[in-house]
Amino acid sequence: MLRTNYGFRYRDDSDPLMVIRTVGWESAVNASYRWDGRTRGDKFVLFQYTLSGEGHLEIGGKHYTVPKNHGFFVRIPDDHRYYYPADAAEPWEFVFLTAEGDHVHSYWNEIIEKNGPVIALKPNAQPIAMLWEMMQDAHNQALQDKYDISVRLYQWIISCLRCVEGKSESPQHMPEAVIAAQKFMREQFHRALTLEEIAASSGMSKYHFCRLYVKHTGLTPIQHLTNIRIGEASRLLRQTSLAVASIAAATGFDNSSYFGKVFRRMLGASPQQFRESAEDIPAHHIFVD
């Protein structure tokens, strides 16, 4: 899955259904990332969960850090600020969900009243697993019915409440073979890996490994590897001055021409266009009747 975000646009703005506005995966790299809940002109709620690095939240006269494996809940508008600190040692990488609707604020109020605005969640906790699943479904264009979206949001909120009350359900177990292969790909993506090498890292035969991998992730191992490579390439394009050819080589592509074709197919822009763009990649808009 790519590091990007998905925005849902509903044709009937007056619909009372509780719905998702956006889900996404982003990173902040400088102090310009700063949001003030008093100055945003819309009404919605936000959950944001740290994958790596650290963010800061000021709310209700209190200051919180939001480190790895912690998330926070805020309502907009409200008196809060969350931001990437200027003295941070590494980027703040996170996934997030925003939602709106007649009842969504009362659920956020309940969570915050019971737990406070910041919550510790393991990476395999049910709310985080469900958030990744929603992003994957958005990527696959499988979230296009407002009633289904509303039900998915409600189920996600209930999973958060269960965690807050200490009743979280056991997450679906990810096979150790898949975990081992993912770790291997994250560490070795810069090399010209073969499917045989990836399967060998899992301790399984290629045939059985591929079937298991697709069953539990929805992607083939090579698709996952390509996503890792393009995600790292996009970071290098934005955060370094390395030549495109050097980035292609550093992320495991045989040549810069093939790298450019894959990059354009997945992100809709050439590597150079991506680097030169002044703003973050906009959300992929999903229009919902």
Side-chain angles (χ1 to χ4, degrees), residues 124-127 129-130 162-163 166-174:
N124 62 351
Q126 192 176 41
M130 292 176 70
R162 291 181 69 89
C163 286
K167 300 176 182 179
S168 58
E169 298 175 352
S170 299
Q172 182 178 2
H173 176 66
M174 185 70 74

Side-chain angles (χ1 to χ4, degrees), residues 7-282:
F8 297 84
R9 300 294 178 261
Y10 302 91
R11 303 194 190 282
D12 183 1
D13 292 336
S14 63
D15 198 312
L17 281 175
M18 183 175 64
V19 292
I20 300 168
R21 285 168 55 114
T22 54
V23 291
W25 175 11
E26 294 184 354
S27 63
V29 298
N30 59 58
S32 66
Y33 184 86
R34 176 178 292 267
W35 293 97
D36 189 323
R38 300 169 300 178
T39 62
R40 304 171 82 168
D42 209 349
K43 184 178 181 180
F44 60 98
V45 296
L46 164 73
F47 170 75
Q48 190 157 304
Y49 177 78
T50 301
L51 301 173
S52 63
E54 180 178 279
H56 288 240
L57 170 70
E58 296 175 3
I59 184 170
K62 296 182 179 179
H63 175 269
Y64 300 86
T65 57
V66 190
K68 181 178 179 180
N69 300 340
H70 287 68
F72 66 87
F73 295 84
V74 292
R75 299 150 298 201
I76 293 119
D78 197 13
D79 185 11
H80 68 258
R81 284 154 295 283
Y82 60 95
Y83 56 92
Y84 178 77
D87 59 351
E90 61 178 310
W92 181 21
E93 185 178 11
F94 50 83
V95 289
F96 67 92
L97 174 148
T98 66
E100 62 188 4
D102 287 354
H103 303 294
V104 72
H105 277 255
S106 63
Y107 282 118
W108 251 246
N109 290 344
E110 183 177 356
I111 290 170
I112 293 170
E113 286 172 5
K114 289 181 175 180
N115 178 84
V118 177
I119 185 171
L121 292 169
K122 294 181 179 179
N124 62 351
Q126 192 176 41
I128 307 308
M130 292 176 70
L131 183 52
W132 284 115
E133 288 173 5
M134 286 189 282
M135 282 193 283
Q136 186 66 59
D137 286 345
H139 175 75
N140 293 335
Q141 297 292 305
L143 276 180
Q144 296 187 329
D145 178 89
K146 65 182 179 181
Y147 299 102
D148 180 42
I149 292 169
S150 184
V151 169
R152 295 284 291 274
L153 174 60
Y154 177 75
Q155 292 172 335
W156 182 83
I157 292 171
I158 294 303
S159 76
C160 292
L161 286 168
R162 291 181 69 89
C163 286
V164 165
E165 295 175 1
K167 300 176 182 179
S168 58
E169 298 175 352
S170 299
Q172 182 178 2
H173 176 66
M174 185 70 74
E176 291 298 326
V178 173
I179 295 172
Q182 291 177 338
K183 181 176 184 292
F184 177 75
M185 287 188 281
R186 287 194 300 269
E187 294 175 348
Q188 302 294 329
F189 67 86
H190 58 281
R191 297 200 297 109
L193 298 177
T194 65
L195 182 56
E196 287 77 9
E197 286 181 280
I198 298 170
S201 73
S202 74
M204 298 180 66
S205 70
K206 182 173 70 173
Y207 174 74
H208 288 100
F209 168 70
C210 288
R211 291 186 61 188
L212 183 72
Y213 202 95
V214 171
K215 176 183 177 181
H216 285 272
T217 70
L219 298 172
T220 69
I222 297 302
Q223 286 173 329
H224 192 163
L225 176 61
T226 301
N227 286 349
I228 292 171
R229 287 170 167 167
I230 293 297
E232 176 64 11
S234 66
R235 185 189 70 81
L236 292 173
L237 286 164
R238 284 296 178 89
Q239 299 180 17
T240 75
S241 59
L242 288 171
V244 170
S246 298
I247 291 174
T251 52
F253 288 92
D254 291 338
N255 60 72
S256 56
S257 176
Y258 177 65
F259 166 62
K261 289 178 181 178
V262 174
F263 195 95
R264 180 182 287 277
R265 172 170 57 83
M266 295 182 70
L267 292 186
S270 71
Q272 192 60 37
Q273 288 170 332
F274 179 88
R275 167 172 274 170
E276 293 172 354
S277 62
E279 300 178 351
D280 288 337
I281 298 176

